[in-house]
Amino acid sequence: MKLRNRQHLALTDTEYGAVLLDGKTGEYWQLNPPAATVARTLLEGGDAPEAVRRVLEEFDVDAERAARDAHALIDAMRQAGVVQE
């Protein structure tokens, strides 16, 4: 998995999680704290399994839910053209 336009992506922490902005297209996503962890992991060069591991370390959530939610965010980012295989 690879982030497209990585240099145009900015993740900014907010009171309620984070905002991921694609500076090239102007699209943005408001992310809850676990989703922000997933996005941050991807921006740092990590992959989906690493993102799930980090969510499990940081939040009180079961493994199935963490994996499902992480993959849902990655799929949404893929549909938006931000993530490619």
Side-chain angles (χ1 to χ4, degrees), residues 35-73:
T37 296
V38 171
R40 188 170 289 109
T41 301
L42 297 176
L43 286 168
E44 293 171 356
D47 58 9
E50 183 177 351
V52 171
R53 182 185 55 76
R54 286 186 182 182
V55 168
L56 290 171
E57 289 173 354
E58 294 179 29
F59 302 96
D60 184 23
V61 61
D62 65 75
E64 183 179 318
R65 171 93 188 245
R68 184 178 59 241
D69 290 354
H71 288 286
L73 175 62

Side-chain angles (χ1 to χ4, degrees), residues 10-42:
L11 186 68
T12 303
D13 291 323
T14 67
E15 184 177 342
Y16 302 105
V19 173
L20 177 66
L21 171 66
D22 183 340
K24 188 170 185 172
T25 66
E27 284 189 274
Y28 68 93
W29 297 267
Q30 191 168 1
L31 306 172
N32 65 20
T37 296
V38 171
R40 188 170 289 109
T41 301
L42 297 176

